[in-house]
Amino acid sequence: MAIPALQSPPPTLALSAWNVILCLLALQTQRSSAVLLAGLKNHRGHHHHHLRPVLQTNQSSCALFMGTWVRDETYPVYQSSACPIIDPEFNCQMYGRPDTDYLKYRWQPADCELPRFNGLEFLMKMRGKTVMFVGDSLGRNQWESLICLIAAGAPRSATQMIRGDPLSTFKFLEYGVAVSFYKAPYLVDIDVVEGKRVLRLDDISGNGNAWRNADVLSFNTGHWWSHKGSLQGWDYMESGGSLYQDMDRLVALESGMRTWARWVDTNVDTSRTVVFFQAISPTHYNPMEWNSGASGKSCYGETVPTSGGSYPGAYPDQMRVIETVLKDMNSPTYLLDITMLSAMRKDAHPSIYSGDLSPGQKANPDHSADCSHWCLPGLPDTWNQLFYTALFF
């Protein structure tokens, strides 16, 4: 297949950009809790009796994602040394992080109590089922956390790890439970044509074939859409049969998200499969967001969450796009709205304790600190506690 001539973004895409802007303005005053309530209503409207017990709490009256972080000495649920599947980039304690207070915080919703994660209960309720995380390395962060949490509740259970690319699977053999991660940073397909990576905004069929038989699907995307230069994951974008060197990244995200949404609406049987979408995971590369007198350029040295129940930084523009697309879907999709509660955790990133960094890298955190991913144990354990709550309660 030859690469055709590059095009300027078509009028429909330009119009889509205006749609995004209008959505941003319309949603400016709305809280994510409104999306949560809509998601909960849709989620509870389709009962998955083979996955869920009788509802024990009235979720629609509980804003799970609005609250505060409170210190709890019973945390963490597991130790990194007891969970060998944690990748070096998330294994902060193994790679020298000197403080441990960041492990001692529990998310407290404003008007209800979260059930504590129970790994054995998870296995029993999910017996014979498959959970699959699909997305980028933040999805992998959550996937590894869930495996560690489950294993802590069933430490003697026989397991099997099958690592691959793009699909890796961890199995709890006694229970027939598989927890998988499928790497698809944009969700839509990327093909190599004449040595060039083409991001196909209108096509998801290649990736989607791997997701069809999962009982629980959790998707995420976001960060890779904004990367430029050497971090950009594509050479061309394809939309409507034409190739583009670049376009407005929010427009591209919306186009890819709508392709994903059509795939879910067309291919997922919601009478047997529960679909989650993980909200944008925030980064902490700008200390001015939480400290007006800051002079650094990273999360290095942060050891406590932001105080109070809100975060002073900006709400991600990408979330406005995601909320709009989810609202337009026919299939019930539960928004795991972890953006704001995670934004308060400036202390929970690997920083310079992300694998085997050189002494020079550790001495220069403004250029080497990882303020995108999260330590394990750590914040993704709370994401999975919320995931567990939404799935079973």
Side-chain angles (χ1 to χ4, degrees), residues 121-185:
E121 181 184 42
F122 187 98
L123 290 172
M124 293 173 65
K125 292 184 184 301
M126 289 296 296
R127 187 183 294 272
K129 306 297 182 184
T130 298
V131 178
M132 183 177 289
F133 293 92
V134 179
D136 59 25
S137 54
L138 278 309
R140 180 161 56 89
N141 220 168
Q142 186 177 358
W143 170 65
E144 293 183 10
S145 161
L146 182 60
I147 292 169
C148 294
L149 286 167
I150 297 171
R156 298 178 192 81
S157 180
T159 61
Q160 179 186 25
M161 179 63 153
I162 306 168
R163 285 197 182 271
D165 187 8
L167 178 65
S168 294
T169 300
F170 192 95
K171 295 182 178 182
F172 293 87
L173 300 176
E174 179 182 350
Y175 299 89
V177 173
V179 185
S180 298
F181 171 69
Y182 187 96
K183 182 181 178 181

Side-chain angles (χ1 to χ4, degrees), residues 22-232:
L22 290 174
C23 287
L24 295 182
L25 294 174
L27 289 167
Q28 188 68 38
T29 59
Q30 295 184 13
R31 301 289 296 179
S32 59
S33 57
V35 176
L36 163 66
L37 293 178
L40 286 169
K41 181 178 179 181
N42 287 336
H43 186 64
R44 294 180 63 203
H46 291 250
H47 297 289
H48 304 274
H49 296 294
H50 62 294
L51 288 178
R52 298 157 52 109
V54 175
L55 288 171
Q56 299 172 5
T57 58
N58 181 9
Q59 285 190 2
S60 62
S61 67
C62 177
L64 294 178
F65 309 112
M66 298 177 67
T68 56
W69 288 98
V70 297
R71 191 173 176 89
D72 189 330
E73 295 298 331
T74 68
Y75 280 72
V77 175
Y78 61 91
Q79 298 297 324
S80 60
S81 57
C83 190
I85 59 93
I86 301 174
D87 284 335
E89 63 189 295
F90 310 143
N91 204 333
C92 306
Q93 289 296 307
M94 176 176 287
Y95 286 92
R97 180 160 179 168
D99 60 306
T100 56
D101 281 358
Y102 71 96
L103 297 171
K104 300 293 184 179
Y105 287 94
R106 171 175 55 82
W107 177 244
Q108 177 61 61
D111 52 5
C112 61
E113 296 289 333
L114 283 180
R116 192 176 177 92
F117 191 98
N118 185 315
L120 186 57
E121 181 184 42
F122 187 98
L123 290 172
M124 293 173 65
K125 292 184 184 301
M126 289 296 296
R127 187 183 294 272
K129 306 297 182 184
T130 298
V131 178
M132 183 177 289
F133 293 92
V134 179
D136 59 25
S137 54
L138 278 309
R140 180 161 56 89
N141 220 168
Q142 186 177 358
W143 170 65
E144 293 183 10
S145 161
L146 182 60
I147 292 169
C148 294
L149 286 167
I150 297 171
R156 298 178 192 81
S157 180
T159 61
Q160 179 186 25
M161 179 63 153
I162 306 168
R163 285 197 182 271
D165 187 8
L167 178 65
S168 294
T169 300
F170 192 95
K171 295 182 178 182
F172 293 87
L173 300 176
E174 179 182 350
Y175 299 89
V177 173
V179 185
S180 298
F181 171 69
Y182 187 96
K183 182 181 178 181
Y186 304 98
L187 300 181
V188 292
D189 293 347
I190 294 183
D191 293 329
V192 177
V193 181
E194 296 183 358
K196 301 296 184 180
R197 299 163 298 172
V198 179
L199 179 60
R200 303 199 185 280
L201 299 180
D202 303 330
D203 193 0
I204 201 169
S205 57
N207 285 337
N209 285 332
W211 313 334
R212 292 179 182 276
N213 296 320
D215 298 286
V216 179
L217 282 166
S218 177
F219 296 92
N220 88 291
T221 191
H223 286 254
W224 283 49
W225 293 91
S226 60
H227 290 340
K228 296 187 177 182
S230 62
L231 296 178
Q232 183 174 299

